Amino acid sequence: VKASNSLSFSLQAKMSRPVQARRLEGIDKNIWVEFVKLAATYSKVNLGQGFPDFPAPDFLTEAFTRALSGGNHMLHQYTRGFGHLPLVKILAQFFEKLLGRDLDPMTNVMVTVGAYQALFCCFQALVDEGDEVIIIEPFFDCYEPMVKMAGGTPVFVPLRPNPPKDRKLMSSADWQLDPAELASKFNERTKAIVLNSPNNPLGKVFSRGELGLIAELCVKHDVLCISDEVYEWLVYDGKQHIRIASLQGMWDRTVIIGSAGKTFSATGWKVGWVVGSNRLLQHLRTVHQNSVYHCATIAQEAVAQGFQRELTLYGKPESYFVQLPKELQQKRDWLVQSLDSVGMKPIVPEGTYFLVADISQFKSDVPDVPNSDEPYDYRFAKWMVKNKGLAAIPLSAFYSEAHKNNYTNFIRFCFAKEEATLKAANDILQKWKQEKTSF
């Protein structure tokens, strides 16, 4: 018996050592795990997660079908690890047009498993222990944990709302950086700044002046720019998406990140890319070849054919890159009107799938939770999905711990949805309004 107990103790002692790497400490929580589960359990209408519920364009799905069932059986095998040749070649051609410079498809373009892996490659390849990385708030939530996992220190600078005096609806353009505050975040430890334009969750499209300020500071302090441009084609009201890499002094210090999921409304395909100078991309290739190594060949082939079509139709009315933003602008306007009519004050986005709304007038609807330090927007979003069947995401989830309590009166909706989905959301909101006015 003693021998048995001794063995048991010995085994337990060996198991008491922590199994997780230190770099995972404090980054295990994820907004999507909780809110996707809530939406799946309670929602009748899900305007939370950022994916379309309308189909990808026929030309893209037909290209996928041809690749899948056509005569080229090699499309079922490995392709080039850093990107299927037809795709990197057409991306190089396309971005040559957009950036006004010659690109080598073999060294200036790399294909990734969605923009998410592109971001991971950037942080792992370019950020070292002790480096500081500036993140503009509100930010897509993975930036902070990815910086920390790479050993870096995130440094946050907020876009500050500047409401219009004429009482019109606020626009995402009214959320602006304070130039002095931004400049104060740059120092000798700053390695990179993460730029997301058009911005998720706010829908802000950074102006040439704002990008010029960021570029000037990057050049002055020798800082890299990780430019997340996945919503580059989704800009509204005649706005223009300006690529920071096209500004003076920025090509050699910028990694552009793109996404076929957002570009072609096929988020489940997980095809993304990076475009940049070989000085930077050579290090991203090292991370890629030692982690994911390779992306699905057939999906890359279909995306290549989609870009080939769009290059032929570039700037023409029948281009998907012209048609999609027009359709989404109508959906945006529809949701803006719907939210405004019930007293949720929408902030009209200049781009993306997303719209942020002010919910400060609804505090009486949501019961207080005793002994809870959960922010109001979290409580509101949970209450709304459980009691009204409408799913959205709290805006404070897109802020750092230090700043999230300043932005708890907003929630984010996704309007990249079928007309029937948006109508169902409107029906919920109008019924809610009637219930409020009848008391």
Side-chain angles (χ1 to χ4, degrees), residues 86-99:
L87 181 53
V88 292
K89 284 179 178 176
I90 191 64
L91 283 169
Q93 274 185 271
F94 216 101
F95 276 87
E96 280 180 348
K97 184 186 277 285
L98 300 175
L99 296 168

Side-chain angles (χ1 to χ4, degrees), residues 2 19 50 59 65 76 81 128 145 151 153 163 189 287 289 304 324 387 389 393 413 429:
K2 281 184 180 178
V19 293
F59 67 82
T65 305
H76 295 274
D128 229 336
T153 303
R189 294 181 301 280
V287 175
Q289 75 190 16
L324 181 61
N387 291 275
I393 303 293
F413 293 96
L429 291 167

Side-chain angles (χ1 to χ4, degrees), residues 109-158:
V109 182
M110 185 179 81
V111 178
T112 57
V113 180
Y116 216 86
Q117 193 229 339
L119 286 161
F120 182 79
C121 284
C122 284
F123 294 122
Q124 288 295 317
L126 304 174
V127 176
D128 229 336
E129 199 78 36
D131 286 344
E132 292 185 358
V133 178
I134 297 169
I135 298 175
I136 298 168
E137 295 180 301
F139 58 91
F140 184 54
D141 65 299
C142 78
Y143 300 162
E144 181 180 6
M146 283 191 185
V147 168
K148 288 180 174 177
M149 210 188 296
T153 303
V155 173
F156 302 98
V157 59

